[in-house]
């Protein structure tokens, strides 16, 4: 029997306090619900839990433009009227509103993804989980699709300091355009996205013909789907494509974005996946035994999101949990059945077998154009901009302030009455 994976988990119970606005579909409150269910099921006992720190402006600028980061750092709703041109320039408007604590929110979810990558690099974890991350639409100098800072790109850049090749997999209903764009011309990162395409669906990118350019040609893999895809149809295409990608690309690390807006009944999505079907994608990626950073993403029916990511936490822990949701702080949200898993809806699957088979054939053809996994001459690991919490990495002549140490690893008191 194979040993269970070592899992670390980034948890901030205050994340639910950030608020995009009353009518906005993005609700950070869903992350608090996931954390609460994780505690209620007792899964925290099986993994190392860390409280997120705040990423520095210098860290965020490893991908994003410095003027964009500086603008996010200093702008607030109270002074917004003085920055109308910059709000327009950086697209902090409409679907990406300016709200109280925006920069701090970005700092936390980005730091968790960066630090999750660092755990994998240090070998102190096999799997790192940050459900607050996965904001895949943000661009270098622009907010997009509810996303301001692209924590995924920042985490992949961190992983590339140590791992020769990184595979990015995206199962959000929306195309992972920001990540694909960032690595479109490199062969060290392969991006694979399964998403809705057509009918003016946001963001309008991710056709099967979008396959990368220059050194990155064929390293962007897109599987554009139609409305109503079911668990079985998804599995029959996801698994062979990912298996072939693993064979051809031979990644040394994986980043998996688990957007839950691909679930049945999502407010903005149009797929028909159940929590079990969505979780099978996570289980399949995990089966390859490659260091993996697991992130959240979209998901706008918060009860379903909480159910999905709680189930997937159990999958990553190889831990069976009951379908009956235990009592928790958000108990009433899960009425009337209080079950963990959701079922398919009675909607048409517009993805016919012929259509899916043609897509799969084309994707496989593109992958065969890659002759071999790219080799990389690795050099000494560049410095990072934050302290490691692994004692072996620390300078014995430099003592960290105790407050820094305390912020990293959660203490028993954090879990309240869940023990």
């Amino acid at each position: 029997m194979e040993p269970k994976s070592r899992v670390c988990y980034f948890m901030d119970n205050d994340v639910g306090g950030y608020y995009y606005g009353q009518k906005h579909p993005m609700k950070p409150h869903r992350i608090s619900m996931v954390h609460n269910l994780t505690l209620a099921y007792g899964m925290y006992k099986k993994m190392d839990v860390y409280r997120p720190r705040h990423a520095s402006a210098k860290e965020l600028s490893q991908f994003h433009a410095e003027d964009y980061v500086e603008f996010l750092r200093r702008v607030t709703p109270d002074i917004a009227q003085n920055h109308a041109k910059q709000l327009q320039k950086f697209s902090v408007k409409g679907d990406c509103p300016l709200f109280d604590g925006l920069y701090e929110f970005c700092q936390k979810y980005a730091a968790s993804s960066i630090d999750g990558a660092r755990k994998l690099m240090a070998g102190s974890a096999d799997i790192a989980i940050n459900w607050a991350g996965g904001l895949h639409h943000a661009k270098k100098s622009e907010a997009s699709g509810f996303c301001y800072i692209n924590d995924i790109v920042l985490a992949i850049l961190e992983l590339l300091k140590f791992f020769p090749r990184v595979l990015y997999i995206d199962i959000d209903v929306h195309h992972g355009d920001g990540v694909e764009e960032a690595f479109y011309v490199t062969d060290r990162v392969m991006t694979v996205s399964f998403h809705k395409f057509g009918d003016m669906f946001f963001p309008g990118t991710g056709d099967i013909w979008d396959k990368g350019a220059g050194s990155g040609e064929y390293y962007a893999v897109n599987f554009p789907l139609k409305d109503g895809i079911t668990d079985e149809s998804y599995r029959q295409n996801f698994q062979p494509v990912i298996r072939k990608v693993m064979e051809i690309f031979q990644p040394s690390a994986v980043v998996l974005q688990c957007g839950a807006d691909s679930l049945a009944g999502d407010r903005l999505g149009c797929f028909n996946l159940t929590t079990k079907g969505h979780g099978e994608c996570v289980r399949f990626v995990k089966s390859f035994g490659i260091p993996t950073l697991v992130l959240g993403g979209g998901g706008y029916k918060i009860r379903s999101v909480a159910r999905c990511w709680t189930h997937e936490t159990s999958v990553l822990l190889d831990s069976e949990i009951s379908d009956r949701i235990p009592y928790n702080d958000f108990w009433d949200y899960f009425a009337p059945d209080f079950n963990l898993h959701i079922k398919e809806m009675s909607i048409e699957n517009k993805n016919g077998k012929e259509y899916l088979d043609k897509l799969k054939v084309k994707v496989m053809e593109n992958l065969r154009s890659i002759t071999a996994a790219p080799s990389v001459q690795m050099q000494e690991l560049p410095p990072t901009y934050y302290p490691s919490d692994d004692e072996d990495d620390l300078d014995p002549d430099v003592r960290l302030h105790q407050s820094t140490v305390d912020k990293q690893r959660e203490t028993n008191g954090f879990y309240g009455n869940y023990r």
Side-chain angles (χ1 to χ4, degrees), residues 68 90-91 96 136-139 142-148 177 202-203:
Y68 175 56
F90 297 124
S91 295
C96 297
H136 57 176
H137 295 306
K139 308 299 196 301
E142 182 181 357
S144 176
F146 316 158
C147 307
Y148 303 86
D177 58 333
F202 183 86

Side-chain angles (χ1 to χ4, degrees), residues 89-145:
K89 173 184 177 182
F90 297 124
S91 295
V92 181
K93 58 178 182 174
D95 287 345
C96 297
L98 177 62
F99 58 86
D100 285 326
L102 169 59
Y103 185 65
E104 184 180 58
F105 175 61
C106 294
Q107 285 181 295
K108 286 184 177 182
Y109 76 71
S112 295
S113 294
I114 294 169
D115 289 358
R118 183 68 174 172
K119 295 291 182 187
L120 302 180
M121 294 160 65
S124 57
D126 305 306
I127 296 170
I129 304 172
N130 174 28
W131 293 127
L135 279 73
H136 57 176
H137 295 306
K139 308 299 196 301
K140 185 178 181 69
S141 301
E142 182 181 357
S144 176

Side-chain angles (χ1 to χ4, degrees), residues 17-32:
Y18 298 104
Y19 189 55
Y20 277 64
Q22 184 176 2
K23 296 183 179 180
H24 201 289
M26 175 63 98
K27 308 291 185 186
H29 179 62
R30 64 198 180 134
I31 309 299
S32 295

Side-chain angles (χ1 to χ4, degrees), residues 19 74 83 226 357:
Y19 189 55
R74 59 187 173 81
H83 299 276
K226 300 178 182 180
D357 286 346

Side-chain angles (χ1 to χ4, degrees), residues 154-169:
L154 292 169
I156 291 174
L157 289 173
E158 191 70 19
L159 290 168
L160 289 173
K161 295 177 181 178
F162 184 79
F163 294 109
R165 294 174 298 280
V166 176
L167 170 62
Y168 172 67
I169 303 171

Side-chain angles (χ1 to χ4, degrees), residues 155-379:
I156 291 174
L157 289 173
E158 191 70 19
L159 290 168
L160 289 173
K161 295 177 181 178
F162 184 79
F163 294 109
R165 294 174 298 280
V166 176
L167 170 62
Y168 172 67
I169 303 171
D170 192 316
I171 58 173
D172 195 290
V173 75
H174 299 96
H175 178 232
D177 58 333
V179 184
E180 180 183 278
E181 181 181 301
F183 299 107
Y184 205 66
V185 294
T186 180
D187 59 2
R188 289 191 62 196
V189 178
M190 179 174 282
T191 59
V192 183
S193 181
F194 293 78
H195 52 270
K196 157 77 176 179
F197 180 78
D199 303 326
M200 304 297 290
F201 195 75
F202 183 86
T205 54
D207 196 356
I208 194 165
W209 303 104
D210 298 333
K211 59 182 186 296
S215 297
E217 188 174 14
Y218 302 115
Y219 288 86
V221 179
N222 286 297
F223 208 97
L225 296 163
K226 300 178 182 180
D227 293 4
I229 193 161
T230 61
D231 290 351
E232 186 60 19
S233 293
Y234 204 96
R235 183 192 63 79
Q236 289 174 354
N237 293 278
F238 181 85
Q239 292 193 2
V241 168
I242 296 302
R243 188 180 292 113
K244 190 67 175 178
V245 164
M246 293 290 187
E247 174 191 332
I248 297 293
F249 187 59
Q250 298 177 27
S252 22
V254 174
V255 177
L256 175 60
Q257 198 266 21
C258 301
D261 47 7
S262 45
L263 293 174
D266 187 81
R267 288 177 63 189
L268 300 185
C270 53
F271 288 174
N272 200 16
L273 301 183
T274 69
T275 44
K276 288 184 178 180
H278 200 272
E280 280 307 304
C281 296
V282 177
R283 194 186 308 276
F284 187 71
V285 173
K286 179 182 179 295
S287 71
F288 291 90
I290 298 169
T292 303
L293 174 63
V294 180
L295 306 172
Y300 309 102
K301 189 174 182 179
I302 60 175
R303 297 158 182 80
S304 296
V305 176
R307 288 174 160 101
C308 181
W309 292 344
T310 300
H311 167 60
E312 288 170 358
T313 301
S314 76
V315 168
L316 294 165
L317 288 169
D318 296 312
S319 178
E320 291 291 331
I321 59 175
S322 172
D323 185 40
R324 180 69 176 178
I325 292 175
Y327 186 77
N328 63 89
D329 292 346
F330 302 102
W331 177 250
D332 291 340
Y333 279 78
F334 303 105
D337 58 12
F338 302 100
N339 291 332
L340 183 64
H341 293 291
I342 66 169
K343 299 178 181 179
E344 290 183 354
M345 299 179 68
S346 298
I347 61 173
E348 179 188 358
N349 181 2
K350 296 183 180 179
N351 300 272
K353 186 177 185 302
E354 182 180 358
Y355 172 74
L356 292 173
D357 286 346
K358 285 182 178 179
L359 283 180
K360 191 159 52 177
V361 167
K362 181 59 180 173
V363 166
M364 295 299 186
E365 284 179 0
N366 288 346
L367 288 172
R368 281 194 289 271
S369 300
I370 300 173
T371 54
S375 59
V376 180
Q377 182 178 355
M378 301 302 291
Q379 299 176 350

